[in-house]
Amino acid sequence: MQTLCIQIQPDRVTDFDEAIVLATCQGLRVFKPLIAAFQMEQGEDDGPWINLSFETDQPARVWPLLQAAFYDAGPLGDVMRASSMAVCSGKNGWDDYLLLYHYDNTLELDSFDETDGTPG
């Protein structure tokens, strides 16, 4: 089982709406069992953060679903692109994670291995 985690830093935008994010997460329930579990955590570390964690055996199939739900055009997509990053745990847990999205578009992003759909 691997984890796809989207971390949101709400202070990076002025129009963050947690209710819309939660409703989007609830809408992803239709993809069970592909998304085996979901957890939301909140905390404070040099500003508030919210982690959305999606457990799956098929991260390469789940990531496009998360991209469509959170990052596509529209008000939520605008907010998420400006305030979040997305990572996937690798074969060795968080020791070899993939950076799939980051609000800082100068960072180099990773992708899934084309041959087996796992973090490459």
Side-chain angles (χ1 to χ4, degrees):
M1 194 72 63
Q2 291 178 267
T3 303
L4 285 157
C5 180
I6 298 174
Q7 182 179 85
I8 306 166
Q9 297 175 4
D11 281 359
R12 294 191 53 78
V13 292
T14 58
D15 52 350
F16 179 76
D17 187 340
E18 187 174 328
I20 292 173
V21 171
L22 289 174
T24 302
C25 292
Q26 294 298 323
L28 291 168
R29 287 181 175 188
V30 299
F31 296 107
K32 236 181 182 197
L34 188 58
I35 297 173
F38 167 74
Q39 180 178 339
M40 184 177 113
E41 294 178 277
Q42 296 185 17
E44 185 86 26
D45 184 19
D46 292 329
W49 53 264
I50 300 168
N51 283 349
L52 309 174
S53 298
F54 302 87
E55 300 288 330
T56 182
D57 284 330
Q58 300 178 56
R61 286 186 58 203
V62 172
W63 175 233
L65 301 173
L66 298 182
Q67 283 179 298
F70 292 104
Y71 293 101
D72 277 357
L76 177 59
D78 293 343
V79 167
M80 293 296 289
R81 287 189 302 276
S83 67
S84 72
M85 64 187 84
V87 295
C88 180
S89 62
K91 295 173 186 168
N92 298 312
W94 292 108
D95 291 336
D96 63 346
Y97 71 91
L98 297 178
L99 179 62
L100 301 172
Y101 179 82
H102 200 284
Y103 58 82
D104 179 351
N105 62 9
T106 65
L107 297 177
E108 186 175 338
L109 300 179
D110 299 307
S111 62
F112 289 96
D113 184 321
E114 298 292 324
T115 60
D116 65 4
T118 61

